[in-house]
Structures are given as C-alpha cells and as structure tokens.
Amino acid sequence: MYRFSIGGQEWILRFSPHIEIEPEIKQAIVSTILQLGSELQTYSHGESFVIMNDHVGIIVFNVEKIPSFMLTVSNIVSEDNWYIQNNLTLKKYKK
C-alpha cells in the first residue's frame, strides 16, 4: 500500500491480492499516478480507468472515494495479451 497527496486529498494506492509484481514496478505505477495530478479528482466513486505504460502494459485502476480516497490496481495486462478487433476479425496487437 502507498499513500500520496494530490490537491490536498490524501489517497491510498493498493494492489489487488491476485497481482504479483516486483517492488520497482509498483514504484513505477505510483510515479505514473502522480502524473495524473488533479485529473484524479475528476473520477467518481466506482469508476475505473486504465493507463497504458510502455514497460508494464495496461494498468486497470478502480476508484473509491467512500469512506476514503483509494485507488486499487485491479489488473495489469501485458502487451503480449492485447488484441485488436477490426471488421469482426480478432488479431494479436503488434506495435
């Protein structure tokens, strides 16, 4: 669990128990969240958002504001598990 402040609000960042990631990746995710700044305050309780990170993949966040301001990393999807659907055809994502 990590604690941080944005716009005078104290937030907690936690990771879902089923996610196993290295401490340096967790720190990279914290740094990424801090870049959101006041944008984080625009999300309502119960909303989710994703951040695409070149090194980690797609990071899924869930927002809670009651009883406290909390973000939960609910999942991380690495690039090798991305797919694109185009004209009813599903293909592996490639840069």
Side-chain angles (χ1 to χ4, degrees), residues 3-88:
R3 293 183 183 273
F4 61 95
S5 294
I6 293 181
Q9 294 177 332
E10 294 292 321
W11 286 83
I12 297 171
L13 175 66
R14 64 182 179 173
F15 294 83
S16 184
H18 73 277
I19 298 175
E20 293 182 27
I21 55 177
E22 304 291 324
E24 56 271 1
I25 299 294
K26 287 182 179 182
Q27 190 59 48
I29 292 171
V30 171
S31 298
T32 301
I33 282 297
L34 292 176
Q35 292 177 30
L36 271 178
S38 60
E39 176 103 13
L40 184 57
Q41 297 170 329
T42 64
Y43 291 100
S44 299
H45 177 81
E47 279 192 287
S48 296
F49 64 93
V50 299
I51 294 178
M52 293 176 70
N53 181 292
D54 289 337
H55 302 296
V56 178
I58 294 177
I59 309 162
V60 181
F61 295 89
N62 299 327
V63 178
E64 297 175 53
K65 290 189 170 181
I66 301 167
S68 59
F69 297 103
M70 190 172 300
L71 286 179
T72 302
V73 175
S74 62
N75 221 323
I76 296 174
V77 182
S78 61
E79 190 174 321
D80 57 333
N81 291 323
W82 296 0
Y83 294 86
I84 294 178
Q85 184 176 15
N86 192 3
N87 296 325
L88 301 177

